[in-house]
Amino acid sequence: MNSNFKQILEELDTVVAKDPATSGRLEAFLCSSGYHGILFYRLAHKLWLKNWRLPARLISQFARFLTGVEIHPGAKIGKNFFIDHGMGVVIGETSEIGDNVTMYHGVTLGGTNSFEGNGGKRHPTLEDNVIVGAGALILGPITVGKNAKVGANATVVKNVAANATVVGTAAHKTESAKSCAFTPYGINAKDVDPYDKRIAALEKEIKRLREELGARE
């Protein structure tokens, strides 16, 4: 069986397996906007690899118009990728997605300026079997490990360990130098989170007290 056709069937079966509202391959092929977005991406990516960059971008923009799913043709996506509902998904150029990843609507894999030392990589890497909830923002050249889960509307700017579940999106002020320079998504990994500083200070104090108590025993 042709490998491309086999991949199409496998991804249709993935939609049927993961979406209880879809009863079979035909319905998945006709009605799944997430699947349509991936199908257009596969074509655009092949053109991108042949260095036909403009046609690849035109196909990705056409897919965005039809499906609401925007996948840059330069992104690297593994097997059996499933986007449920599809609308509002954005996947940037240097994103890498492993096999059997599930993503819900409104997810952004976004790039930041803080990519020094990453070979120009600006977007996240999602390893195999990751699940990303609706509305989540995963920003910068970070890695979400195998089997990890990102909760709906979470904002992730640091690596996520394999098998971990991360949630939360409460905004708070960072300590950063004032600058008029443009910062994609408003986040720079060099910004200092005051919560991290306070937690580190508390951990240091706890360690000191434990050592002091241990010396008295």
Side-chain angles (χ1 to χ4, degrees):
M1 183 183 293
N2 181 279
S3 60
N4 290 332
F5 184 66
K6 182 179 180 182
Q7 184 178 51
I8 289 172
L9 293 181
E10 287 177 348
E11 291 185 336
L12 285 172
D13 289 338
T14 298
V15 175
V16 174
K18 292 186 175 182
D19 183 3
T22 302
S23 59
R25 286 177 174 175
L26 179 60
E27 185 176 349
F29 183 79
L30 294 175
C31 302
S32 173
S33 60
Y35 173 77
H36 298 154
I38 295 167
L39 201 61
F40 278 113
Y41 157 78
R42 299 292 184 197
L43 173 59
H45 185 63
K46 289 181 182 298
L47 296 178
W48 185 266
L49 294 178
K50 294 179 182 293
N51 209 33
W52 295 354
R53 299 296 174 89
L54 182 57
R57 290 300 305 275
L58 289 172
I59 289 172
S60 70
Q61 290 301 299
F62 180 67
R64 177 178 180 269
F65 173 75
L66 287 181
T67 68
V69 176
E70 182 174 345
I71 307 176
H72 193 286
K76 298 176 182 177
I77 299 178
K79 298 183 296 183
N80 302 327
F81 180 40
F82 173 55
I83 303 175
D84 199 1
H85 299 294
M87 182 61 68
V89 167
V90 177
I91 298 174
E93 178 185 6
T94 61
S95 299
E96 297 179 52
I97 297 175
D99 296 338
N100 306 309
V101 170
T102 298
M103 184 177 292
Y104 290 84
H105 55 282
V107 170
T108 296
L109 303 187
T112 68
N113 274 343
S114 50
F115 55 81
E116 295 87 348
N118 289 284
K121 183 168 172 58
R122 310 184 308 280
H123 300 86
T125 295
L126 275 54
E127 296 185 344
D128 298 347
N129 306 309
V130 167
I131 299 173
V132 184
L137 302 175
I138 306 178
L139 307 176
I142 61 175
T143 298
V144 179
K146 290 182 179 179
N147 307 307
K149 299 177 180 65
V150 178
N153 293 316
T155 298
V156 185
V157 294
K158 296 180 181 178
N159 292 336
V160 177
N163 304 303
T165 298
V166 295
V167 299
T169 186
H172 52 274
K173 187 177 180 180
T174 64
E175 297 176 8
S176 58
K178 292 183 179 179
S179 172
C180 295
F182 175 72
T183 303
Y185 295 98
I187 291 179
N188 190 318
K190 293 181 179 179
D191 290 349
V192 178
D193 188 331
Y195 287 6
D196 286 350
K197 287 182 66 177
R198 292 172 191 169
I199 291 170
L202 286 170
E203 289 177 342
K204 185 177 180 180
E205 180 66 12
I206 290 169
K207 182 180 179 182
R208 184 189 68 78
L209 291 171
R210 283 177 174 172
E211 291 173 349
E212 186 177 315
L213 287 171
R216 292 178 180 179
E217 292 177 355

